[in-house]
Amino acid sequence: MSRPYNFIKSIVKDNYELFKDSMSYEEAMDMAVSNVLTPLDVKSVDHPSITFSSKEEIRDFLISELQYEVNINQGVEAGEYHTLTDDSGHIPWYRDIVATDKIDFKFWKRYRKYLLNIKQWPVSTVDRLDEITDDIIERLEDPTVKDRTFDRRGLVVGYVQSGKTANFTGLINKAIDSGYKVIIVLSGMHKNLRSQTQMRIDEEVIGRDTSDQAQVKRIGVTTLPGEGYINVDTFTTQNDSGDFSRSFAQQVGGVQPGSDRPMILIVKKNVSVLGNLIRYFRESLDTLSDEYVLQNSEGESILNNLPLLLIDDEADQATPNTRASANDTGELDPTSINRNIRQLLNIFNQKAYVGYTATPFANIFMHHDNEHSLYGKDLFPSSFIISMEAPSNYFGPVQVFGLNESETEQGLPIHITVDDASMPNSDFLPLRHRATDVPDHIPESMKEAIKCFILSSAIRRLRGQGNKHNTMLIHCTRFNDIQNAVGRFVEDEFNRLREGIANDDNDIIQEFKILFERDYIRITTQMEGVLNNWDEVRGNLKPAVLKMERRPHIINGTAGDILDYKNREGSGLSVIAIGGDKLSRGLTLEGLTISYFTRASTLYDTLMQMGRWFGYRTGFEDLCRIYTTDDLFSWYRHISTAFEILRKEFMEMSRQKSTPMEFGLRVLSHPDMMATNAMKMRHTTTLPLTYKGKLTETSSLSGDRSILINNSNAVEDFIQELSPFPIVPKENTYLWTGVPKEIVISFLDAYISYRGAPASSTKRIIEFIEKQKEDDSPNDILDIWNVALASLIRNTQEGLVQIAGLDIKPFTRSIKEEFINNRLFIQRLVSPDDEKIDFETETTATSKDLRALLPRLNRPLITIYPLLIENYRENSEDPVELLSLDKMPFGFAISWPNNNNLKQSTYDINSVYEELELANYD
């Protein structure tokens, strides 16, 4: 009886887990393998790409594979995540049902086992995936409640090549277990990416090979011990031509959506394909029973009790509507793909849309409340946004490029400068080349990069990674004819090196030795990698280069080349890939080691998506190289910085318990680049981050119990930190002078400002303070502060409270709007003379004029206000009452120097930010 290799590997892994705590690694692994292989016939072991000739061969392969995977996962810490959610109209359901054991997790349990036993994920990483997919599905709705209308729209933000596909695959498995009946995955713009996604879903959800040439063959999750095939309807296959078509659906019997088993469709984001899908579901309305058809408020028939989960991979590409919502003649229809996605959603009475992207600029720049009379609301993630952090072994933009003005994040020493290509006057592909500028050579830097690929491959063999995929990327242009020409010259250079190594040509071997001694010893030493000597490396050059594909693979729209990693899973594919747009988004390059990248783009999202070198490189990070120009390197560092600032925005939104509709988002701008294309940014506004000469006050406070407690503790700690500084005598307010900015920043970092108040966001205030020390001309204007703890006159004991041992009498402020969503809107906090508390001479100056005088010109003032809050009254006759809050609210105000030497940053802000409190920014 035939046994799939994954079946055997899974049992070995389970055995190893039993033995590992009671014996050494080697003993546990040896016993696990022996126990499983002893009763097996070697001919019964079915591997997708290897025919084993002996049990010893199977044993060696199993141990090498498991050993590598166990070792690279040691000490890996799972990434955190941060959530914003809007619970309007939402009924919590999932955790309650799970707690009562009402979901039979058939699909999820076998996927979890597959990740642990076959992909060898660390338990901590699988547990975090379990946790975050629980969080996502909880934010959808219960699909089993009959006739209940719902429409949830969310966005999941990850890093490039960081595991977003695994996340939505986990979500699909849980969604099916929970009762979602129709699963549609929009998998990018290109057929090879759609096929790649279909392969993943086939292996990790469906468990059946859908390729045309395959019979009903179990793969992936269904080859695990104790797991069988569960019926799933799908009309899409792994083939390039396997996208959805109505004719294919009719060939397999005209299967209609139904409640007896799920339907999964993996389709391109293509107008025609989406149109066919819309027609298919509309036509199914004619044959379904009344249980599944509903008349909506417009009298149109829609699908009912067939809940849809629509997953939009690369949700920032093609999905956003780049057309204006209206012009002088009236309403305008959205762009085609955006329109079709909205139409598809509108066919279902119960639907959930979840977008996934690593570059969310276009999504957060959608207008948050645009609605079309025919197609309904846009795809802004109004229900939730989840930001995922990568596991600790992720090789990402911050690690590779570092951050602007950061002493701790300088990037890795793997960048090699390219100065003979993609420069304004280069002989090879100048910066602004045309499709007709077909080169007649490749530059020396590219030839060196090819040598690096061979060297790195040889060293990976030394490290036991000889059967792992190994890829080099060359990305210089989007023009196909140029890519094809480059491919011919790369082939010639590779074969020159190959022949030289195979024939022990001393001159060519010397080229490799010089490169090894110049770069590899230095970089591996700096990165604390395993340093091999030259003789060891030289001995592995020949097997490494002979294993490589002799011709580079051209991956573009005109070539039929594919990167067939799947069928080389056992031995590893070693290949040079040359391409443009098809290699620039979504497509995974397995074992990417060397990147030669000189294609410029002025768009953050495009440039970051073209960075295929991010991902997981455990065990060979020091062997990776990025060949690019210094300008592109600096652009990537700026984008990395912009990404990290945006991620901090998500973290702050989550900390403030914000919803996507409540918190304005912004993206750090650049003089030569844009976050995304201009049409996707039509709803953005450019805004400088500066507080020069302004008065910042917390006109809105949070009434949330946990935040009130947090802020009360933050104020208490802040005032205690001021005890070493003398108190300046004042009639009411306490004043401290000469306070270092670090103490102020510590307070601001602990204090949680109210969501949807961009001007008084503590994180943005800290950023502005720290901005002053950046670049080559730092200033000290915000280094020293004056601090005030405001109080009414304390002439009686009545109403006194203590803060850090100091008696204060709180101020009373009334709220100007009803106390809804925990918002205490007091509008004004500061009285006219409060800003003068630290002035030694009297002045009648106010506003910016006051802030241009000493001491304010060089000394900011932060004032803490303890508050009692009166209820909202529609008219003066209503009774005055104090709100009963769990803790006293504290506001703060900052009077900023009106000093021209203060530095600023510039941001692109979304429509939410602009609408919320832009009017109160000054």
Side-chain angles (χ1 to χ4, degrees), residues 20-36:
K20 70 176 184 180
D21 293 331
S22 58
M23 55 186 72
S24 70
Y25 166 79
E26 289 79 10
E27 290 173 323
M29 186 62 73
D30 188 65
M31 184 171 287
V33 173
S34 297
N35 282 357
V36 175

Side-chain angles (χ1 to χ4, degrees), residues 662-770:
E662 288 176 329
F663 196 101
L665 286 173
R666 72 212 173 113
V667 176
L668 183 66
S669 59
H670 186 279
D672 301 317
M673 293 187 287
M674 295 169 59
T676 186
N677 74 50
M679 301 304 287
K680 294 177 183 177
M681 294 181 69
R682 65 168 62 252
H683 300 301
T684 65
T685 302
T686 300
L687 181 76
L689 173 63
T690 181
Y691 291 94
K692 181 177 86 74
K694 299 178 184 294
L695 174 66
T696 301
E697 56 184 319
T698 49
S699 57
S700 291
L701 304 167
S702 177
D704 179 89
R705 179 179 183 275
S706 62
I707 293 177
L708 286 172
I709 293 171
N710 176 88
N711 289 350
S712 178
N713 292 336
V715 169
E716 188 85 15
D717 293 343
F718 183 34
I719 303 305
Q720 287 180 348
E721 283 288 310
L722 300 174
S723 58
F725 302 91
I727 298 177
V728 180
K730 296 289 177 181
E731 184 179 13
N732 49 0
T733 297
Y734 297 96
L735 176 68
W736 296 264
T737 60
V739 178
K741 70 176 183 182
E742 288 75 17
I743 294 177
V744 176
I745 289 175
S746 180
F747 161 68
L748 292 170
D749 192 45
Y751 183 97
I752 301 177
S753 46
Y754 181 74
R755 60 182 183 254
S760 57
S761 164
T762 53
K763 298 306 177 189
R764 297 173 195 186
I765 292 170
I766 292 170
E767 183 186 333
F768 179 68
I769 296 170
E770 294 179 337

Side-chain angles (χ1 to χ4, degrees), residues 856-896:
R856 188 65 65 249
L857 179 64
N858 297 303
R859 183 71 59 87
L861 169 72
I862 181 170
T863 305
I864 307 298
Y865 291 85
L867 299 169
L868 301 173
I869 306 296
E870 293 178 343
N871 63 313
Y872 170 66
R873 291 174 292 155
E874 288 191 1
N875 55 67
S876 56
E877 287 77 30
D878 291 341
V880 178
E881 297 176 357
L882 287 178
L883 292 182
S884 177
L885 299 169
D886 293 279
K887 274 282 187 178
M888 177 184 291
F890 287 88
F892 71 82
I894 300 177
S895 178
W896 296 93

Side-chain angles (χ1 to χ4, degrees), residues 84 157 385 387 646-654 665:
L84 296 76
V157 180
I385 300 176
S387 175
L646 181 59
R647 290 185 182 281
K648 287 179 181 177
E649 297 282 295
F650 285 130
M651 290 170 65
E652 182 64 8
M653 292 165 76
S654 178
L665 286 173

